Amino acid sequence: MRAVLLLLALLAAAPAAAGEAKPARIVSLNLCADELVLRLADPGRVASVTYLARDPRGSTVADLAAQVPVNRGLAEEVVPLAPDLVIAGAFTTRATTAMLRRLGFEVMELGVPTSLEEAYAQIRQVAARLGEAERGEAMVARIKAAMAALPPAPADHPTAVVLRPNGFTAGRGSVPDSVLARVGLDNLAARLSTDRMGQLALEEIVIAKPDLLVVNSAPDAPPSLADELLHHPALAPFAKAARTVPLPIRLWACAGPGLAEAARRLAAARERIAPGAPSPLVGAPAGLLQ
C-alpha cells in the first residue's frame, strides 16, 4: 500500500509534459553534468547536483557546488524538486532515469566523449539545451585558445603511459588519448590496451619503456590497495628522472576547462624531456619487478 501511495504522489508531482523552453529548475545526476550545469547556468536555475560535485578530489566545481542542494541519484530526491530538466549520464542512475521518464520528466543523457571534438560538441549540446548557447561557445573558445597557446610539439613524439589505480589506463578512443596526441605525446597504451579503459600490467609498462609516466590519481586520496601499483619500486626511476606527471583524473574526466589545464601540465612535462634522452627504464636493473 505504501508503494502505491508513493507512486501516486510521484505522479502528482510530475510535469504534464516536457518542453523545449529555457529550463528554470535543473537537476544533475552525473558528475560531468554537474560541471557543465554549474558553469553554464545561473546558480538560481540549478535545483540540485550530485554530492560528488562538492568533493574537490574528484570535482573541478566544488566551490560552485557548495551552495547548491545535492542528491545521491534517487528519484525520491528529484521528484519533489519539480525539475523541468534532468541531466544524467548514459551509464549511471539507470533505474532513476527510467522512473523519471515514466513520470513524464525530461531527461537528457550524456554519453562519454571519445575525443576533444566530441567533448566540445557535448559542451555545445548542453549549453544549447540550457538556453546558454553563447556561454557554451565561449567555453569551447577558451579551451581551444589555451590549446593553441601550447608549445609546438616536436617532430619525434615522446612516449607516455597514463597509469590509474588498479593498473587502469587511458587507451585509444578516449579524451585523454586525444589530449596526449594534441600536446605531442605518443600514448603507448593505445597500442598495448584493447579499449579506452583497459588495464596494463606492470610488466607491460616496464617492457614498453615509456618516456613519461602520467600518474592519474588524486594526491590527497586516502591510502588504498588500488594505489599500490602507482608506488611500485619498478616505477621509481621515473620519479628520480623527473619523468612523472601527477595529473588528477578530475582534469580530463569530463568535458570542460579542465582539459586545457591537463594539456598545459602535459606539455610542460614533455618540454622537460631532452630530445633523444632514453626512457628511465632503459638499463633498469634486473629483478626490478620482484
Side-chain angles (χ1 to χ4, degrees):
M1 184 65 181
R2 289 182 62 189
V4 173
L5 292 174
L6 175 61
L7 181 58
L8 290 174
L10 294 177
L11 289 171
E20 285 298 319
K22 188 172 182 177
R25 296 188 58 76
I26 307 158
V27 169
S28 169
L29 301 178
N30 174 268
L31 181 58
C32 289
D34 293 341
E35 175 168 354
L36 292 177
V37 167
L38 290 170
R39 290 188 184 278
L40 294 170
D42 293 332
R45 297 171 57 203
V46 183
S48 180
V49 294
T50 73
Y51 73 99
L52 298 171
R54 290 185 177 176
D55 186 349
R57 291 174 298 182
S59 169
T60 64
V61 289
D63 55 336
L64 298 176
Q67 303 303 318
V68 176
V70 297
N71 67 75
R72 291 182 175 269
L74 302 177
E76 295 90 331
E77 299 172 302
V78 176
V79 172
L81 298 174
D84 43 14
L85 176 64
V86 178
I87 305 183
F91 305 104
T92 56
T93 59
R94 305 307 302 153
T96 296
T97 55
M99 171 66 80
L100 293 174
R101 282 197 170 104
R102 285 199 297 271
L103 293 174
F105 290 95
E106 179 185 355
V107 178
M108 179 182 189
E109 287 190 351
L110 302 184
V112 178
T114 63
S115 67
L116 280 170
E117 288 305 319
E118 287 190 13
Y120 300 151
Q122 186 170 92
I123 293 171
R124 292 185 175 109
Q125 175 193 15
V126 173
R129 183 61 196 93
L130 295 180
E132 303 291 352
E134 290 186 2
R135 292 184 183 181
E137 285 298 333
M139 181 186 292
V140 171
R142 287 193 298 272
I143 299 171
K144 287 187 172 183
M147 295 288 187
L150 296 173
D156 296 325
H157 293 181
T159 56
V161 162
V162 177
L163 189 58
R164 293 169 173 167
N166 278 327
F168 281 98
T169 187
R172 66 179 66 89
S174 66
V175 169
D177 182 50
S178 185
V179 174
L180 289 169
R182 178 65 184 78
V183 301
L185 289 168
D186 182 4
N187 183 15
L188 283 180
R191 309 179 205 165
L192 300 175
S193 63
T194 57
D195 56 39
R196 65 187 179 200
M197 292 298 291
Q199 286 177 288
L200 290 177
L202 183 63
E203 291 82 357
E204 290 181 282
I205 299 172
V206 172
I207 292 171
K209 296 180 174 63
D211 297 308
L212 189 67
L213 185 66
V214 182
V215 181
N216 220 183
S217 177
D220 53 351
S224 69
L225 292 175
D227 284 340
E228 281 191 347
L229 180 64
L230 306 180
H231 307 291
H232 195 283
L235 303 179
F238 284 98
K240 291 179 181 178
R243 299 286 191 91
T244 298
V245 186
L247 191 69
I249 295 177
R250 66 177 179 270
L251 292 180
W252 60 4
C254 303
L259 296 173
E261 176 59 18
R264 186 194 66 79
R265 296 188 189 188
L266 290 168
R270 187 209 69 210
E271 290 284 282
R272 294 197 300 267
I273 301 174
S279 163
L281 295 181
V282 173
L288 201 58
L289 297 178
Q290 298 177 356

